[in-house]
């Protein structure tokens, strides 16, 4: 993943509408720069969510979640489907920014700059192992608190208090979608020191070694979804949204090109 430089954001971020949801035009370096700026000069909690084809169908089903997603401070192009769709519909050169890699790069930056991290989610053994992995990789990292994802609702006030008392500026939520997005929508106004909150899904499982990340070939060629499907056949039902998404994007692009030609003829 390398060690990209962290600097100021020089241009406004473009946000594209892809069918029913949105995605931001950025690459990994720009995403990290924005995270850094959110922490350095931001006020309140800045949300970072992953945008992918599956969410095109799931997010609009919940109006509260839909509104939260639309207002997110950064929507990273997590899936190759969003990258290809943005190229087809808008001629954009945005690059895939996997949430798993952004989280790990953010941890590297936090260790470098002294930002404090709190990690909430996943099973206890997974959460603990992931934290230990991060500490071994980054000896100077400040993980000031952690909590597994199996916390009763009536204990949430205590969790919020622990996060605030820790002084954490970065909060990673590994609760799965849409639970993690709904959690931050519910509790963000109670967080006092957090400046960046990223939903990281199953990233802790990867760090803990309980789930294997796709080999580099699959990641670089945009076929990580295929590797995950082969490794977890139970994902087939979820992956059926991909051809539906691709067809709708293709049709939308063709309609857009047809309308542009009509406008040019007038």
């Amino acid at each position: 993943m390398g060690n990209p430089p962290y600097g100021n954001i020089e241009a406004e971020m473009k946000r594209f509408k892809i069918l029913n949801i949105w995605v931001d035009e950025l690459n990994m370096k720009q995403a990290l720069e924005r995270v850094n700026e959110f922490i350095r000069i931001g006020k309140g909690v800045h949300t970072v969510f992953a945008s992918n084809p599956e969410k095109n169908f799931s997010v609009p089903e919940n109006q509260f979640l839909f509104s939260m997603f639309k207002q997110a401070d950064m929507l990273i192009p997590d899936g190759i489907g969003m990258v290809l769709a943005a190229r087809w519909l808008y001629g954009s050169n945005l690059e895939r920014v996997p949430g798993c890699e952004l989280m790990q790069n953010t941890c590297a930056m936090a260790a470098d700059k002294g930002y404090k991290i709190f990690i909430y989610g996943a099973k206890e053994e997974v959460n603990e192992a992931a934290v230990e992995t991060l500490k071994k990789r980054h000896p100077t990292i400040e993980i000031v608190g952690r909590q597994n994802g199996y916390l009763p609702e009536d204990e949430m006030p205590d969790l919020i208090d622990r996060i605030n008392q820790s002084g954490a500026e970065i909060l990673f939520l590994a609760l799965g979608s849409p639970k993690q997005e709904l959690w931050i929508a519910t509790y963000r106004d109670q967080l006092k020191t957090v400046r960046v909150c990223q939903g990281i899904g199953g990233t802790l499982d990867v760090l803990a070694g309980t789930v294997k990340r796709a080999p580099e070939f699959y990641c670089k060629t945009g076929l990580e979804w295929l590797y995950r499907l082969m490794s977890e056949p139970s994902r087939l039902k979820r992956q059926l949204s991909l051809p539906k998404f691709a067809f709708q994007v293709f049709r939308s692009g063709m309609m857009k090109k047809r309308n542009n030609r009509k406008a040019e003829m007038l």
Side-chain angles (χ1 to χ4, degrees):
M1 284 175 279
N3 186 24
Y6 321 117
N8 293 324
I9 300 170
E10 300 177 353
E12 284 296 318
M13 178 177 58
K14 290 183 180 179
R15 177 161 289 182
F16 299 122
K17 192 170 192 298
I18 308 292
L19 300 181
N20 300 317
I21 58 172
W22 300 263
V23 68
D24 295 334
E25 185 178 50
L26 42 68
N27 54 33
M28 181 63 75
K29 175 177 177 292
Q30 293 167 325
L32 278 169
E33 287 174 348
R34 288 191 176 277
V35 169
N36 187 43
E37 292 297 284
F38 292 156
I39 299 170
R40 196 171 64 85
I41 60 175
K43 295 180 180 180
V45 180
H46 297 77
T47 53
V48 180
F49 297 147
S51 187
N52 57 48
E54 287 181 41
K55 291 184 180 180
N56 176 70
F57 302 103
S58 62
V59 167
E61 292 179 352
N62 184 310
Q63 191 57 45
F64 185 58
L65 176 60
F66 183 72
S67 177
M68 181 68 182
F69 196 84
K70 184 178 182 179
Q71 296 172 26
D73 295 279
M74 189 158 65
L75 293 172
I76 58 173
D78 179 69
I80 187 64
M82 302 305 287
V83 171
L84 297 177
R87 291 177 183 175
W88 171 245
L89 295 173
Y90 299 99
S92 169
N93 289 320
L94 87 167
E95 300 175 11
R96 185 168 177 242
V97 181
C100 180
E101 293 182 15
L102 176 60
M103 183 269 190
Q104 294 176 70
N105 280 329
T106 297
C107 286
M109 179 177 69
D112 180 45
K113 293 184 173 293
Y115 297 147
K116 297 177 181 178
I117 298 171
F118 196 104
I119 299 178
Y120 169 41
K123 296 178 180 179
E124 172 61 23
E125 59 271 23
V126 170
N127 186 296
E128 182 180 21
V131 167
E132 289 305 311
T133 296
L134 289 170
K135 287 181 177 180
K136 288 178 181 178
R137 290 182 184 177
H138 313 290
T140 60
I141 197 169
E142 290 190 68
I143 299 178
V144 293
R146 68 175 190 86
Q147 170 62 50
N148 67 58
Y150 295 83
L151 192 70
E153 190 64 32
D154 60 2
E155 294 185 28
M156 285 302 166
D158 179 63
L159 173 62
I160 297 297
D161 185 59
R162 284 165 51 202
I163 295 172
N164 289 334
Q165 291 296 324
S166 74
E169 295 134 314
I170 302 170
L171 173 62
F172 291 121
L173 292 177
L175 303 174
S177 184
K179 187 176 180 180
Q180 58 199 20
E181 290 88 353
L182 293 173
W183 188 94
I184 190 59
T186 303
Y187 297 106
R188 65 181 299 174
D189 291 339
Q190 299 178 40
L191 299 172
K192 297 178 180 179
T193 63
V194 172
R195 292 294 171 264
V196 173
C197 182
Q198 181 187 349
I200 60 172
T203 299
L204 298 186
D205 288 283
V206 175
L207 288 170
T210 56
V211 172
K212 187 178 179 181
R213 182 88 193 274
E216 189 174 0
F217 166 78
Y218 289 91
C219 295
K220 285 189 173 182
T221 56
L223 294 174
E224 189 171 0
W225 62 271
L226 179 59
Y227 176 84
R228 294 177 68 185
L229 179 58
M230 292 188 298
S231 303
E232 303 174 64
S234 60
R235 294 178 60 88
L236 178 60
K237 186 176 180 179
R238 293 174 59 186
Q239 297 290 6
L240 289 177
S241 63
L242 294 178
K244 183 179 178 181
F245 174 82
F247 172 75
Q248 292 184 3
V249 167
F250 177 76
R251 183 176 61 181
S252 179
M254 292 302 294
M255 291 177 61
K256 182 178 181 181
K257 293 177 188 298
R258 191 180 304 118
N259 291 336
N260 288 341
R261 285 197 296 268
K262 288 181 179 179
E264 291 173 357
M265 294 173 63
L266 295 178

